Amino acid sequence: MVEMVELSRHLGPHKVIAVTSHPQSDLRLVSDIIIDMGQIAEPCSLGLTPTASIAVMSAIADALALIVMERRGFTRKDYGLRHHGGYLGAKARLDNV
């Protein structure tokens, strides 16, 4: 991730938002905005399977997506144009015909 962030800097002015729970993460050093998840104890008996951290990351990603959608004025039509199909795609396109 750190290498990807560093390589992307030439693409123009943009902010890098890092979401991490690791205080010593190198990603923090190359990011403009840090969303700190805090220390997360994984319920896996081995302490390895990232179930709790994935749930937290999913909630943060959903919140960020909703905020960006609102600020950019993302509409049902925009959603329908980008969704591949299925129930949600069809539902989003009902008003786009």
Side-chain angles (χ1 to χ4, degrees), residues 43-65:
C44 166
S45 62
L46 301 175
L48 299 172
T49 307
T51 53
S53 55
I54 286 175
V56 172
M57 288 287 276
S58 180
I60 290 170
D62 285 352
L64 288 173

Side-chain angles (χ1 to χ4, degrees), residues 3 10 22 24 48 53 56 60 72 76 86-87 89 92 97:
E3 184 177 358
H10 76 283
H22 301 287
Q24 305 304 321
L48 299 172
S53 55
V56 172
I60 290 170
R72 290 194 173 182
R76 183 185 195 115
Y87 170 75
V97 179

Side-chain angles (χ1 to χ4, degrees), residues 2-13:
V2 171
E3 184 177 358
M4 288 175 52
V5 170
E6 290 172 340
L7 290 172
S8 74
R9 290 291 183 189
H10 76 283
L11 296 175

